[in-house]
Amino acid sequence: MVKKIQKNGSDKKASAQAFNSPLSGAIKDSAQQIWLAGLGAFAKAQEEGGKAFESLVKEGLSIQRKTQAVAEERISEATNKVSSMATDISSKASGQWDKLESIFEERVAKALNKLGVPSARDVDALIQRIDALNQHVQQLAGKAPAKTAARKAAPAKKAAAKPAAKKVAAKPVARKAARKATTA
């Protein structure tokens, strides 16, 4: 073993001598050139790095604009869908409210009818019958249509006072006639 160690010691001496040889100078020169090439590449990267950064920023802006346009398009589509759905829902809701209102009106009309309260149609029919009976009573009483024309020609003050009195007087008669007509 000792011999091996001695060999290793002699190898170190040989390698130190070989390092001083022309081959070692070439390796040093080559390493120096590689180092200088790295420094040159670094300097060039710094110079062109600004240009590369600016081009990357431009590309980023164009991509951002494209994505914003796509996003705005998607948002407008979603907005249109939601608004159409809201319109559909509101039309359905208004239709349901109309149905509910008509059902409510029918039920109220039935309840009022059960209580004996006349409907608007019944009142209109009674008014028409009262008017017809008033005309018939006037014909039987012998009042001529000429007298009604003379009343229309009277001064405005008297004409305004008399029809109001006539309406008040006609109402009890009309009510009595309506009662007789409904009982008959």
Side-chain angles (χ1 to χ4, degrees), residues 17-29:
Q17 287 175 357
F19 207 60
N20 291 332
S21 70
L23 181 62
S24 68
I27 292 174
K28 281 183 183 180
D29 288 340

Side-chain angles (χ1 to χ4, degrees), residues 116-170:
V117 176
S119 67
R121 290 184 201 156
D122 295 338
V123 172
D124 288 339
L126 286 175
I127 290 172
Q128 289 177 355
R129 287 184 72 188
I130 291 170
D131 288 341
L133 287 173
N134 278 337
Q135 288 177 358
H136 188 65
V137 168
Q138 286 178 358
Q139 288 176 355
L140 290 176
K143 292 185 179 179
K147 289 182 182 179
T148 57
R151 285 186 186 166
K152 289 180 182 175
K157 290 181 182 176
K158 291 181 181 177
K162 286 187 180 181
K166 183 178 177 183
K167 286 183 181 178
V168 173

Side-chain angles (χ1 to χ4, degrees), residues 11 22 39 46 73 85 87 93 113 116 136 139-140 149 156 158 172:
D11 283 343
L39 286 177
Q46 277 185 331
E73 184 179 316
M85 287 173 55
T87 303
N113 192 17
H136 188 65
Q139 288 176 355
L140 290 176
K158 291 181 181 177

Side-chain angles (χ1 to χ4, degrees), residues 10 12 29 34 125 139 143 165 179:
S10 65
K12 286 181 185 177
D29 288 340
I34 291 172
Q139 288 176 355
K143 292 185 179 179
R179 286 184 195 149

Side-chain angles (χ1 to χ4, degrees), residues 10-171:
S10 65
D11 283 343
K12 286 181 185 177
K13 288 180 186 177
S15 65
Q17 287 175 357
F19 207 60
N20 291 332
S21 70
L23 181 62
S24 68
I27 292 174
K28 281 183 183 180
D29 288 340
S30 177
Q32 183 70 26
Q33 286 178 351
I34 291 172
W35 172 254
L36 293 175
L39 286 177
F42 179 73
K44 196 165 201 172
Q46 277 185 331
E47 288 175 12
E48 293 181 9
K51 294 176 186 176
F53 181 76
E54 289 174 8
S55 67
L56 290 174
V57 168
K58 287 179 184 178
E59 287 180 33
L61 284 174
S62 66
I63 290 173
Q64 182 181 8
R65 288 180 185 140
K66 289 177 184 177
T67 54
Q68 281 179 342
V70 170
E72 288 174 0
E73 184 179 316
R74 300 283 190 231
I75 289 171
S76 66
E77 288 175 4
T79 303
N80 290 338
K81 285 181 181 179
V82 169
S83 64
S84 67
M85 287 173 55
T87 303
D88 292 343
I89 290 171
S90 66
S91 65
K92 288 179 182 178
S94 67
Q96 294 298 324
W97 278 111
D98 291 342
K99 287 180 183 178
L100 182 64
E101 183 180 357
S102 65
I103 290 171
F104 180 73
E105 287 175 355
E106 289 176 11
R107 289 186 180 173
V108 168
K110 284 181 183 178
L112 290 175
N113 192 17
K114 286 180 181 178
L115 293 173
V117 176
S119 67
R121 290 184 201 156
D122 295 338
V123 172
D124 288 339
L126 286 175
I127 290 172
Q128 289 177 355
R129 287 184 72 188
I130 291 170
D131 288 341
L133 287 173
N134 278 337
Q135 288 177 358
H136 188 65
V137 168
Q138 286 178 358
Q139 288 176 355
L140 290 176
K143 292 185 179 179
K147 289 182 182 179
T148 57
R151 285 186 186 166
K152 289 180 182 175
K157 290 181 182 176
K158 291 181 181 177
K162 286 187 180 181
K166 183 178 177 183
K167 286 183 181 178
V168 173
K171 284 186 180 177

